[in-house]
Amino acid sequence: MGGSSGFQFNDYDNWNSNSNVSSHLCLKRIAIAGPATWQKITEHSRGKALVIDTDEGDLQKSKADMKRIGNLYEQIVSLKNLQLADEKAQKGKSSQYGVVLHNAKRESNLLVLQDLLATKTFKTSQYDIFTIHEPKERIVYRLPYFPDRITHHAIMNVLEPLFVSSFTADTYSCIKKRGIHKLLRNLTNDLKNVSGTQYCLKFDIKKFYPSIDHDVLKTLLRRKFKDPDLLWLLDEIIDSAPGLPIGNYLSQYLANFYLSYFDHWLKETLRVRYYYRYADDIVILDSDKSRLHLLLTQIKAHLAGLNLEVKENHQVFPVSARGIDFVGYVFYHTHVKIRKQIKQNFARKMKANPNDVSKHSYLGWLSHCNARHLTKKLLSQ
């Protein structure tokens, strides 16, 4: 992760929560417009209300604005792609009831699905909605295997590389070869610059998935794609539930995409060097505590334009004093520890049953941090 140390705010020091720019309508339009439109803010005097209209010329000026792509729907609805989607969707799930039911008439089902999509008569099925409580309470939406989960995989077979190409290198969740361990390596390496990473801003977004605004998401998708049939299908799925439903295969990519322009704004307009986002959990490092507090104010204003809110438990703190509790680990400048709760869960399972099936999963977590003595202790119980 290159770039200069810290931030280069330029004229953005004048941007604060007291500005009339923070009105909901204006911010929403600014957030959608991206960094090119944010630059226009500096051309106005402080305190004046702004209503900024965007046009295609503005959108093309930003690195975050990718060329709009068309002619994708035919690829998605092709029988070959639906067969591939079916294969991917049922990997490791062959014994599930919905998969067994589908496989009893697999070929005819895929032909029916192809016809539904080709004639644009596909409708999202009724969700099975339930609540989970691990690690925290979440409402999960589950769709039947046929036709919905196959359809989501068919979409992502074609769109995944296009979505990923629009993400910054600092986005890690739900991206192949860019998960927790890639984040761990990058953050550990960046913390070697002790002077440049003395302070941490850590926050997440309040009720991120349920808060995603359908109108804003559709606007962003229309900046990326121009295929009307594809946009029809995405709209149909998006409007099938409030926010983005946790449990949908497509939701994790749409959620990442929803914040992708925000990522580009931070990296390319505000020149944030040390930035890490895993879903809606965000860590930013800098040498100056006051700059992080100012940045937090800007972030709150920008996210308000996306109808998102920073959770109240946001923190700015010295890294050396407490470490960065992030993605299951606690990061310091000199070492990395496993999160206390994960350690306690592992110890409890090993005490109850040394051959617990989760043993190798926990050992995998421990292998990526400084835990040699802890591992020996836990395995000797």
Side-chain angles (χ1 to χ4, degrees):
M1 284 176 283
S4 57
S5 177
F7 308 107
Q8 296 177 7
F9 283 110
N10 300 321
D11 292 333
Y12 292 94
D13 290 346
N14 291 327
W15 171 261
N16 59 43
S17 58
N18 295 322
S19 171
N20 289 334
V21 179
S22 61
S23 68
H24 172 75
L25 175 62
C26 182
L27 272 174
K28 188 167 185 176
R29 297 168 78 176
I30 291 171
I32 294 172
T37 301
W38 274 92
Q39 185 61 39
K40 291 184 177 180
I41 294 172
T42 64
E43 299 170 3
H44 292 75
S45 60
R46 182 179 175 182
K48 291 183 179 179
L50 295 179
V51 178
I52 299 175
D53 288 313
T54 63
D55 54 36
E56 194 63 24
D58 289 328
L59 303 181
Q60 291 175 353
K61 293 177 183 177
S62 169
K63 291 181 181 179
D65 298 324
M66 288 68 66
K67 183 178 179 181
R68 292 172 67 222
I69 303 165
N71 301 319
L72 297 171
Y73 197 68
E74 289 183 7
Q75 299 176 47
I76 290 171
V77 305
S78 71
L79 186 59
K80 183 177 180 181
N81 184 53
L82 293 177
Q83 291 168 338
L84 176 61
D86 186 22
E87 292 172 9
K88 287 185 176 181
Q90 62 177 274
K91 277 185 179 178
K93 303 181 179 71
S94 59
S95 61
Q96 288 185 1
Y97 176 73
V99 177
V100 173
L101 201 64
H102 163 69
N103 283 340
K105 46 180 182 177
R106 186 175 184 178
E107 292 183 9
S108 61
N109 276 347
L110 292 179
L111 289 172
V112 168
L113 176 55
Q114 184 185 38
D115 182 67
L116 290 172
L117 292 170
T119 59
K120 294 170 67 174
T121 53
F122 173 87
K123 295 288 289 183
T124 297
S125 304
Q126 184 173 345
Y127 285 96
D128 175 22
I129 304 173
F130 56 96
T131 303
I132 61 173
H133 300 274
E134 185 69 31
K136 58 184 178 181
E137 184 174 301
R138 296 179 186 272
I139 299 175
V140 177
Y141 291 71
R142 182 168 56 198
L143 286 168
Y145 180 79
F146 172 83
D148 303 86
R149 280 150 64 186
I150 299 173
T151 299
H152 289 205
H153 276 268
I155 293 169
M156 291 315 304
N157 282 347
V158 177
L159 298 194
E160 181 179 5
L162 303 176
F163 276 138
V164 172
S165 70
S166 71
F167 302 153
T168 70
D170 315 276
T171 305
Y172 296 90
S173 174
C174 305
I175 304 173
K176 292 175 183 176
K177 299 182 180 180
R178 215 197 299 173
I180 288 177
H181 296 136
K182 175 73 170 178
L183 190 161
L184 187 153
R185 289 192 295 272
N186 287 346
L187 180 50
T188 301
N189 185 63
D190 291 341
L191 283 167
K192 293 176 182 178
N193 179 4
V194 178
S195 62
T197 60
Q198 291 184 48
Y199 295 95
C200 174
L201 164 61
K202 186 176 184 294
F203 67 93
D204 60 351
I205 296 171
K206 187 175 182 179
K207 298 185 182 300
F208 176 47
Y209 274 70
S211 297
I212 288 178
D213 186 298
H214 288 188
D215 290 336
V216 174
L217 177 57
K218 290 176 184 179
T219 299
L220 295 175
L221 287 167
R222 280 157 175 76
R223 290 177 58 182
K224 178 70 175 173
F225 305 111
K226 64 180 179 181
D227 186 326
D229 293 331
L230 167 63
L231 293 168
W232 164 81
L233 179 58
L234 293 176
D235 287 354
E236 204 290 324
I237 295 171
I238 289 166
D239 289 335
S240 66
L244 282 180
I246 296 173
N248 272 5
Y249 178 54
L250 190 57
S251 290
Q252 58 195 17
Y253 290 92
L254 291 176
N256 261 340
F257 181 71
Y258 195 80
L259 288 179
S260 62
Y261 291 90
F262 169 75
D263 297 334
H264 283 279
W265 168 69
L266 281 170
K267 293 296 294 184
E268 296 160 14
T269 302
L270 295 191
R271 300 292 184 183
V272 174
R273 181 179 183 184
Y274 296 120
Y275 173 68
Y276 320 85
R277 179 169 70 81
Y278 192 88
D280 64 314
D281 291 329
I282 294 172
V283 161
I284 300 174
L285 305 176
D286 191 69
S287 61
D288 190 317
K289 186 177 181 179
S290 63
R291 281 204 294 260
L292 290 176
H293 281 291
L294 176 58
L295 181 63
L296 178 60
T297 300
Q298 296 176 288
I299 285 171
K300 287 180 177 180
H302 195 98
L303 289 176
L306 297 172
N307 278 342
L308 299 176
E309 182 181 349
V310 173
K311 198 178 289 185
E312 295 84 356
N313 63 352
H314 55 77
Q315 303 166 344
V316 176
F317 58 90
V319 174
S320 59
R322 50 186 287 192
I324 306 164
D325 190 340
F326 192 40
V327 296
Y329 297 94
V330 183
F331 297 82
Y332 295 87
H333 287 113
T334 56
H335 62 287
V336 181
K337 296 165 61 176
I338 196 75
R339 180 179 287 163
K340 184 177 180 180
Q341 184 179 3
I342 295 176
K343 178 180 70 174
Q344 291 173 338
N345 289 344
F346 189 20
R348 186 169 58 251
K349 288 179 181 292
M350 289 300 97
K351 187 174 182 179
N353 179 11
N355 296 314
D356 190 286
V357 293
S358 63
K359 174 180 177 179
H360 293 291
S361 176
Y362 280 106
L363 290 175
W365 278 86
L366 291 171
S367 69
H368 292 279
C369 63
N370 304 94
R372 188 184 348 175
H373 296 297
L374 173 63
T375 302
K376 287 182 179 179
K377 181 179 178 180
L378 291 173
L379 291 178
S380 64
Q381 293 188 23

